[in-house]
């Protein structure tokens, strides 16, 4: 994605199922757990680079001994910073008392992060805040071990205001109105209730207090707690939690919007946001790993019993298609093929855009994340060319010469590495002209890769959101090569609506497709539609979210996809460009063909999977109309 979009978060949960001594004996190190967590997080660093955090629970510690450890960082390279902090203590022990590194009792009593249960989190600051207090995991502490709660997740809820008021009405005083705090306090409230209920039951049986809490730890009903806590959540989430006594869970939203995968054997239970991360860390095959079912929680009891339990009724699965297009790493076997399919399915539009002139066309990709879809595009071009070759050979007649056949067989789609991202240039200069001049040099181009004035240049991108980088940088540098025509291909459809489930695309004015639709309404004297939509949004302000509909769709309704694409090209083409510019977008229909198991497409279609989505898009449009530069949730 040439546009910079902060998105998503990543989680990694690891439960060691054997005593620490087992890993020392088998792997020769007490750091098996922390090293695996480090690997799980590094392999997901694409999911969050603003901050990171980890937490660890030690089992069976005596009263007065620390059993929860946590470290967080917002420094540059936060993952490495965290593990450097932890390793400093281990290095000191290795130098001064090396024998202690195999002394389980010493390590658990004296050294942090030597417990059996780990939780890691990677963060993008979608709200523009990046303080250490905003970093997961969050702690809800208590003197009673079974009431301690650690929470981290990849999520966004659309109804935080409603949930906040619920907490206030039951007598709580949350420290801030954020979805993370609200979620933690909601779970915490029902965790307290479950503790109270079990305490009363055991107390009536005459059991002593110390023994009561042992029984509570054994019999805490995590499924019931999560059902009550999440019954009114509206959003997308993969939520992980640890309890002080050693139970743990990962909960996924009913639509499966946010991803979560898990694996279990005799030694570990592991959960991560991406499947190949687990494959790499534990040398597994894809089929060894399971996807957490939508609406379910993976519940890991301190005893080691692991169950996948239904928490909320699963509705239609609408997993985020942006995970497949861009966010998740392409090393997943399914994502790899899906991205190739995205490139291949857009080929008919590409051929039409160059009038089927492959001889005078050069194909490339920007940025590097678009490389896989580029391979798919080239495969589609080769398939087309092979059919054309067959027809050419047939046309030669009964006795063609070897030279004639050879000339046909040697025809290829011409590919080049056109642009290379050099450095991330930064400047303190505030004048637009000066800044734009620097931005235009972020990419280096390969001079001499096309024939000036003769060749078409076709570059594929993952998606186009704002189009800022295209306008300020990419189109200008491509034009330096002197192509006859520049065709920019988006492997994703036009992004028309805000996301409210964890991706930092929250404002209508951020979308070039929306800007194009507004421009077309003005050009065709249909501006009354803008006012009508605004009036309809206002009428819905006080409606329950379940009754709100997405009336913003009416902004796009008068125009075809091709009309909007053409206007986008006009808006993004700098005045200085000499080449003709065309922009092609994937169709929604082909997106679903390429990614049949990830049909979440609300940012393209406006079909939100939860009622809160319609409320968010309505608020986003009103913010745009009222010139409010703020998020809609």
């Amino acid at each position: 994605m040439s546009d910079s979009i902060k998105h998503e978060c990543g989680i990694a949960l690891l439960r060691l199922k054997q005593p620490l001594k087992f890993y020392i004996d088998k792997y020769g190190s007490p750091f098996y757990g922390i090293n695996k967590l480090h690997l799980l997080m590094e392999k997901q660093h694409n999911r969050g680079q603003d901050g990171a955090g980890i937490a660890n629970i030690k089992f069976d510690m005596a009263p007065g001994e620390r059993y929860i450890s946590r470290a967080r960082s917002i420094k540059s390279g936060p993952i490495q910073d965290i593990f450097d902090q932890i390793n400093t203590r281990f290095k000191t022990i290795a130098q001064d008392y090396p024998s202690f590194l195999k002394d389980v009792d010493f390590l658990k009593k004296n050294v942090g992060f030597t417990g059996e249960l780990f939780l890691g989190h990677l963060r993008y600051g979608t709200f523009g805040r990046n303080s250490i207090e905003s970093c997961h995991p969050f702690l809800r502490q208590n003197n009673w071990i079974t009431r301690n709660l650690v929470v981290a997740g990849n999520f966004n809820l659309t109804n935080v205001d409603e949930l906040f008021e619920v907490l206030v009405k039951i007598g709580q005083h949350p420290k801030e109105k954020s979805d993370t705090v609200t979620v933690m306090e909601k779970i915490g409230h029902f965790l307290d209730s479950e503790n109270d209920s079990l305490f009363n039951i055991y107390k009536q049986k005459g059991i002593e207090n110390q023994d009561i809490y042992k029984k509570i730890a054994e019999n805490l009903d995590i499924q019931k707690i999560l059902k009550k806590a999440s019954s009114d959540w509206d959003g997308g989430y993969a939520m992980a939690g640890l309890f002080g006594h050693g139970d743990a869970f990962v909960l996924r939203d009913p639509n499966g919007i946010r991803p979560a995968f898990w694996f279990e054997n005799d030694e570990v239970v592991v959960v991560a946001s991406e499947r190949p991360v687990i494959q790499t860390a534990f040398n597994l095959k894809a089929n060894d790993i399971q996807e957490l079912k939508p609406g379910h929680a993976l519940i890991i009891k301190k005893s080691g019993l692991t169950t996948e339990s239904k928490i909320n009724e699963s509705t239609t699965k609408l997993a985020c298609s942006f995970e497949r297009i861009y966010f998740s790493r392409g090393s997943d076997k399914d994502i790899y093929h899906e991205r190739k399919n995205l490139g291949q399915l857009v080929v008919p539009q590409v051929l039409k855009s160059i009038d089927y002139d492959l001889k005078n066309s050069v194909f490339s990709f920007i940025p590097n994340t678009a490389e896989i879809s580029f391979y798919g595009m080239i495969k589609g071009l080769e398939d087309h060319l092979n059919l054309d070759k067959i027809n050419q050979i047939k046309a030669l007649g009964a006795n063609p010469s070897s030279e004639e056949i050879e000339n046909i067989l040697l025809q290829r789609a011409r590919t080049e590495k056109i642009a290379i991202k050099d450095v991330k240039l930064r400047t303190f200069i505030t004048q637009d002209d000066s800044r734009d001049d620097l931005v235009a040099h972020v990419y280096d181009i390969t001079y001499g890769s096309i024939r000036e004035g003769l060749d078409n240049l076709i570059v594929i991108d993952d998606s186009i959101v704002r189009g800022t980088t295209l306008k300020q940088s990419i189109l200008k540098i491509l034009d330096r090569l002197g192509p006859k025509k520049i065709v920019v291909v988006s492997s994703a459809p036009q992004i028309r609506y805000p996301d409210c489930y964890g991706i930092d695309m929250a404002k209508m004015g951020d979308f070039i497709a929306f800007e194009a639709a507004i421009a077309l309404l003005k050009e065709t004297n249909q501006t009354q539609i803008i006012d009508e939509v605004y009036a309809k949004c206002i009428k819905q302000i006080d409606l329950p979210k379940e009754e709100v509909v997405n009336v913003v769709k009416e902004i796009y309704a008068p125009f075809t996809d091709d009309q909007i694409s053409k206007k986008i090209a006009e808006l993004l083409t700098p005045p200085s460009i000499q080449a003709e510019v065309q922009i092609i977008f994937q169709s929604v229909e082909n997106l679903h063909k390429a990614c049949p198991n990830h049909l979440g497409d609300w940012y393209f279609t406006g079909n939100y999977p939860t009622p809160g989505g319609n409320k968010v898009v309505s608020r986003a449009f009103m913010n745009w109309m009222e010139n409010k530069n703020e998020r809609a949730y």
Side-chain angles (χ1 to χ4, degrees), residues 127 156-158 499-506 616 631-633:
F127 282 88
N156 197 81
L157 301 184
T158 70
D499 182 78
C500 51
Y501 305 119
I503 304 171
D504 190 21
M505 300 190 302
V616 166
R631 303 174 68 89
Y633 56 90

Side-chain angles (χ1 to χ4, degrees), residues 574-616:
S576 60
I577 295 292
Q578 299 298 311
E580 177 189 351
V581 174
Q582 184 175 354
I583 297 180
I584 293 172
F585 289 89
Q586 186 76 261
S587 69
V588 173
E589 180 184 9
N590 280 341
L591 169 69
H592 291 167
K593 286 180 182 178
C595 310
N597 297 316
H598 291 74
L599 301 178
D601 62 5
W602 52 92
Y603 12 70
F604 310 123
T605 65
N607 299 328
Y608 288 90
T610 74
N614 291 331
K615 201 170 183 73
V616 166

Side-chain angles (χ1 to χ4, degrees), residues 339-613:
R339 290 184 183 174
K340 284 182 68 177
N341 289 340
L342 287 169
Q344 190 164 355
L345 288 168
V346 83
V347 164
Q349 294 168 262
V350 171
L351 289 169
K352 186 177 178 181
S353 73
I354 58 172
D355 197 25
Y356 299 86
D357 184 10
L358 290 176
K359 181 179 179 181
N360 298 304
S361 297
V362 174
F363 299 87
S364 193
F365 56 91
I366 299 177
N368 287 342
T369 51
E371 186 174 6
I372 299 173
S373 59
F374 169 75
Y375 293 147
M377 182 174 68
I378 298 304
K379 173 65 166 59
L381 292 170
E382 289 173 348
D383 290 344
H384 165 80
L385 195 52
N386 285 337
L387 290 175
D388 192 44
K389 288 177 183 179
I390 292 172
N391 292 329
Q392 290 181 54
I393 291 173
K394 285 182 177 178
L396 293 176
N399 297 300
S401 68
S402 297
E403 184 180 357
E404 288 175 318
I405 295 175
E406 184 179 14
N407 288 337
I408 294 172
L409 293 178
L410 289 176
Q411 294 174 23
R412 295 285 187 274
R414 295 167 58 198
T415 62
E416 300 287 353
K417 179 73 170 177
I418 292 292
I420 303 166
K421 196 168 186 178
D422 186 17
V423 291
K424 187 173 183 179
L425 293 170
R426 298 180 183 272
T427 176
F428 296 103
I429 301 172
T430 57
Q431 287 84 358
D432 288 341
D433 291 345
S434 298
R435 188 190 311 112
D436 288 351
D437 182 60
L438 280 176
V439 171
H441 293 83
V442 168
Y443 287 88
D444 280 344
I445 53 172
T446 309
Y447 292 100
S449 53
I450 71 170
R451 296 173 300 173
E452 188 171 349
L454 294 175
D455 288 333
N456 302 305
L457 177 55
I458 302 91
V459 294
I460 191 166
D461 195 350
D462 309 285
S463 60
I464 300 169
V465 186
R466 304 179 183 99
T468 307
T469 309
L470 270 179
K471 185 172 186 176
Q472 293 183 351
S473 175
I474 292 175
L475 287 174
K476 291 179 181 178
I477 65 171
L478 295 181
D479 194 55
R480 291 184 215 148
L481 296 171
K484 179 175 61 177
K485 182 177 184 180
I486 299 172
V487 181
V488 179
V489 183
S490 170
S491 70
Q494 297 168 2
I495 298 169
R496 299 181 171 190
Y497 304 94
D499 182 78
C500 51
Y501 305 119
I503 304 171
D504 190 21
M505 300 190 302
K507 303 170 187 175
M508 294 301 303
D510 283 346
F511 308 126
I512 189 61
F514 177 74
E515 189 179 341
I518 294 297
L520 286 170
L521 288 172
K522 292 177 179 178
E523 289 177 9
T524 56
N525 297 315
Q526 298 185 78
T527 54
Q528 77 280 359
I529 292 177
I530 302 173
D531 295 326
E532 290 168 1
V533 169
Y534 181 55
K536 290 177 181 179
C537 288
I538 290 175
K539 284 184 179 180
Q540 297 188 109
I541 287 178
D542 296 323
L543 291 179
K545 63 181 183 297
E546 291 76 15
E547 297 178 21
V548 177
V549 296
N550 183 2
V551 296
V552 181
K553 290 182 179 182
E554 296 174 23
I555 295 292
Y556 300 96
F559 312 110
T560 65
D561 291 353
D562 287 343
Q563 286 176 304
I564 293 175
S565 295
K566 184 177 179 181
K567 178 53 66 174
I568 289 172
E570 291 177 17
L571 294 173
L572 294 183
T573 302
S576 60
I577 295 292
Q578 299 298 311
E580 177 189 351
V581 174
Q582 184 175 354
I583 297 180
I584 293 172
F585 289 89
Q586 186 76 261
S587 69
V588 173
E589 180 184 9
N590 280 341
L591 169 69
H592 291 167
K593 286 180 182 178
C595 310
N597 297 316
H598 291 74
L599 301 178
D601 62 5
W602 52 92
Y603 12 70
F604 310 123
T605 65
N607 299 328
Y608 288 90
T610 74

Side-chain angles (χ1 to χ4, degrees), residues 299-368:
I299 296 173
I300 310 163
K301 295 294 289 182
K302 189 210 174 216
S303 65
L305 177 66
T306 301
T307 57
E308 190 175 27
S309 305
K310 181 186 286 188
I311 305 300
N312 296 298
E313 195 63 42
S314 299
T315 52
T316 304
K317 184 181 178 184
L318 292 169
C320 174
S321 57
F322 247 125
E323 285 281 351
R324 322 303 282 184
I325 297 166
Y326 172 70
F327 293 150
S328 292
R329 287 192 172 191
S331 54
D332 182 276
K333 73 178 184 70
D334 292 335
I335 293 176
Y336 180 78
H337 291 297
E338 288 165 10
R339 290 184 183 174
K340 284 182 68 177
N341 289 340
L342 287 169
Q344 190 164 355
L345 288 168
V346 83
V347 164
Q349 294 168 262
V350 171
L351 289 169
K352 186 177 178 181
S353 73
I354 58 172
D355 197 25
Y356 299 86
D357 184 10
L358 290 176
K359 181 179 179 181
N360 298 304
S361 297
V362 174
F363 299 87
S364 193
F365 56 91
I366 299 177
N368 287 342

Side-chain angles (χ1 to χ4, degrees), residues 200-209 211-212:
N200 291 333
I201 291 172
Y202 295 132
K203 192 69 175 177
Q204 290 173 8
K205 293 181 177 180
I207 301 174
E208 295 295 324
N209 284 2
D211 293 328
I212 284 177

